[in-house]
Amino acid sequence: MSGPPGSRGVVVAAADEIPVGGRKIVEVDGRSIGVFHLPDGYVALRTTCPHESAPLCEGILTGAITSPGPGRYHYDRRGEILRCPWHRWEFDVRNGRSWTDPDRVRVRSYPVTTDGGPVVVHV
Amino acid sequence: MIDCDVHNAVASDSALLPYLSARWRRHLEQVGSRTFSPFTRGHAYPKAARFASRHDAWPPSGGLPGSDLEFMRAQLLDAYDVEYAVLNCLYRAPEQRNADFGAALAAAVNDWQVEHWLGRDARLRASLTVPFEFPDLAAAEIERAAAHPGFVQVLLYPRTSAPLGRRHYRPIFEAACRAGLPVGIHAASTTPGPITASGWPSYYIEDHTGLAVAFQAQLISLIFEGVFDRFPDLRVVLMEGGFAWVPALMARLDALQERLGDEVPDLAHPPSYYLRHHVRITTQPMEEPERPGDLVPLLREIGQEVLMFSSDYPHWDFENPHRAFRTRVPADLHQRIMVDNARAQYRFTS
């Protein structure tokens, strides 16, 4: 299975290498990319945080707390919000957009395919 | 680059045992830490991150962030080509309610710094830990330990039991001047009283923000109590209290002095004079205006000699020296903030 037109597929992990909930940080053409195995598939993000260049993909995967009003909280999207290990900026691991400022701040995300075999990131 | 605020950590209390007398070793083991702060082991508010540190700053050797020099070299000193780094050890010696125990711990921390840090890397300098709530003991520790050329500053915290300008604290400034050292005041979430001027808030975010207010209170006190007039050689460094508030505060104080100055007629200069001539401020946590370019006029207004770069490694709000400003700072100003101001303040040779 191929990625988007014009992209190049790079094998970054064997089929069963990254457990669900796990990740692998790889170098592709001198760029550091974090590959995450979510319950329904893989996603990949540039490792470098757009804020101060921290290793974003080494941060913890957490959930999103939203509140419809004072005293009421919802905790969902468990394991899908990536928190920077330095300043705690949070990103949606599925699309690389900042949780608090999605239109202005984002980290590059890459398509990932497996086709039943090894994990391929399309750069 | 010169980094004016780096934290080395005492890995555990047992690391200090070799530097304590039998009497205080026994005290440490049997009684332990009892501080002015309401929480003896932790802090009044849970920090944003474990040990207030970068998630990636826990050394592979297993100790606390900032406790492993090799790892500090890899993550900071070598990674960013640091010329000098000023260590501010935040071990809780100065907060001990038992004055003599606090003094013994402070001396132990200083001797431990000489052996394990200053003696092991030529780029390192350190602040002296002193039991500042007991100024006579603090002055004695400055006298005892300041002779080591690696110590470049005396370390205080901004939330003290009274404003630092009160005459009670004079022995510290006197001893610092005699030793030729600046007095550095570094953010700490520790406090003998309520953590804000208005009492106890609910959240860490309030504690963290309130630090800037504590620094302002100290600066106001030092100026109007005449500390700088009494000690003309005194230099003070404010560390980790922000700086966007500086122009507004100085303008207000200068204006007020014209109206209310009769109360303090012996003040020799306008308040802003003392800031520019006696006070230096470290940059972390960097101000991050909505439009990043707005930072430059602010830097200029504060004065080109006042600010000194700091990273706050290994803490969670660490500043990457290559990315801290998020805007283009003119080269001459950048050079002053990253290198020259600290070199002059701490008399580093190049």
Side-chain angles (χ1 to χ4, degrees):
Chain A
M1 194 168 111
S2 64
S7 74
R8 183 167 57 88
V10 178
V11 174
V12 295
D16 56 356
E17 186 179 341
I18 309 173
V20 174
R23 75 189 74 177
K24 182 180 184 186
I25 295 173
V26 298
E27 279 296 303
V28 178
D29 301 338
R31 274 171 299 193
S32 180
I33 293 174
V35 185
F36 297 83
H37 192 174
L38 304 183
D40 60 346
Y42 291 86
V43 295
L45 298 177
R46 184 83 187 263
T47 299
T48 309
C49 183
H51 176 221
E52 286 202 33
S53 304
L56 171 65
C57 291
E58 293 177 23
I60 61 167
L61 280 172
T62 178
I65 298 175
T66 55
S67 171
R72 294 166 62 205
Y73 306 101
H74 299 304
Y75 184 62
D76 45 31
R77 308 233 19 220
R78 220 171 266 256
E80 296 181 15
I81 305 297
L82 180 63
R83 181 189 285 166
C84 183
W86 295 2
H87 307 100
R88 305 166 61 87
W89 283 31
E90 290 173 325
F91 295 83
D92 185 332
V93 78
R94 289 187 182 278
N95 58 23
R97 288 181 185 272
S98 155
W99 183 250
T100 55
D101 196 0
D103 295 332
R104 292 205 309 175
V105 179
R106 61 191 304 184
V107 61
R108 175 85 188 267
S109 88
Y110 302 91
V112 185
T113 57
T114 56
D115 205 16
V119 182
V120 177
V121 168
H122 299 270
V123 296
Chain B
M1 188 266 288
I2 295 175
D3 190 341
C4 293
D5 183 23
V6 175
H7 299 291
N8 54 336
V10 177
S12 72
D13 290 346
S14 61
L16 297 180
L17 292 176
Y19 307 98
L20 290 169
S21 67
R23 189 262 178 274
W24 294 119
R25 272 204 298 274
R26 201 171 64 239
H27 189 91
L28 180 62
E29 286 162 353
Q30 295 182 351
V31 180
S33 176
R34 292 291 181 275
T35 70
F36 287 111
S37 281
F39 294 85
T40 279
R41 299 202 70 77
H43 292 291
Y45 300 89
K47 302 284 194 170
R50 199 168 148 231
F51 204 62
S53 292
R54 273 169 48 169
H55 200 67
D56 62 345
W58 291 80
S61 58
L64 294 171
S67 67
D68 181 331
L69 174 57
E70 279 304 320
F71 195 54
M72 183 187 283
R73 285 182 180 131
Q75 277 199 323
L76 178 77
L77 302 174
D78 297 341
Y80 298 106
D81 198 16
V82 176
E83 187 183 352
Y84 291 102
V86 179
L87 300 173
N88 290 304
C89 181
L90 300 179
Y91 187 83
R92 299 178 75 174
E95 304 163 60
Q96 295 300 319
R97 273 178 261 159
N98 181 321
D100 294 307
F101 180 52
L105 280 180
V109 168
N110 293 331
D111 292 346
W112 166 84
Q113 294 200 97
V114 167
E115 186 173 345
H116 289 276
W117 299 88
L118 300 177
R120 289 176 59 203
D121 196 305
R123 293 167 289 189
L124 298 179
R125 298 292 183 273
S127 294
L128 273 175
T129 292
V130 298
F132 51 78
E133 293 296 358
F134 306 98
D136 54 333
L137 297 176
E141 178 58 15
I142 295 170
E143 299 253 311
R144 186 194 74 88
H148 191 288
F151 289 116
V152 294
Q153 178 166 269
V154 174
L155 181 62
L156 313 183
Y157 301 160
R159 287 163 175 151
T160 41
S161 58
L164 284 167
R166 299 298 294 268
R167 66 173 59 213
H168 166 70
Y169 291 105
R170 271 185 208 159
I172 297 176
F173 300 112
E174 199 175 350
C177 287
R178 212 178 306 124
L181 297 180
V183 170
I185 305 172
H186 185 282
S189 293
T190 57
T191 177
I195 213 151
T196 77
S198 316
W200 289 101
S202 300
Y203 304 113
Y204 173 60
I205 196 169
E206 297 175 87
D207 165 12
H208 195 66
T209 315
L211 279 163
V213 187
F215 278 94
Q216 292 174 50
Q218 299 292 15
L219 184 56
I220 293 166
S221 171
L222 291 170
I223 291 171
F224 290 110
E225 294 269 5
V227 174
F228 297 115
D229 290 314
R230 192 171 295 272
F231 302 106
D233 296 331
L234 177 65
R235 295 167 292 144
V236 167
V237 181
L238 309 181
M239 294 179 283
E240 211 175 329
F243 54 84
W245 48 265
V246 170
L249 179 68
M250 288 302 122
R252 172 175 283 237
L253 294 182
D254 284 356
L256 281 176
Q257 196 206 10
E258 289 174 17
R259 297 169 181 77
L260 306 175
D262 288 351
E263 195 184 12
V264 283
D266 47 350
L267 210 64
H269 303 283
S272 60
Y273 173 94
Y274 299 100
L275 178 92
R276 291 193 204 288
H277 289 83
H278 292 271
V279 179
R280 296 293 175 261
I281 303 174
T282 60
T283 52
Q284 188 280 340
M286 184 66 73
E287 307 292 353
E288 296 180 66
E290 181 86 20
R291 290 170 303 187
D294 288 351
L295 186 68
V296 176
L298 172 66
L299 299 175
R300 288 225 183 271
E301 195 174 358
I302 289 170
Q304 59 179 6
E305 286 168 350
V306 174
L307 295 168
M308 309 192 295
F309 178 78
S310 59
S311 76
D312 195 30
Y313 178 88
H315 288 164
W316 69 268
D317 40 358
F318 167 82
E319 217 93 72
N320 176 349
H322 302 312
R323 298 289 308 277
F325 297 101
R326 303 179 67 210
T327 186
R328 231 191 81 74
V329 176
D332 58 328
L333 186 56
H334 191 262
Q335 169 72 16
R336 282 177 177 276
I337 294 173
M338 300 306 289
V339 181
D340 296 351
N341 291 344
R343 196 189 294 290
Q345 172 71 348
Y346 295 116
R347 294 170 186 155
F348 291 145
T349 51
S350 46

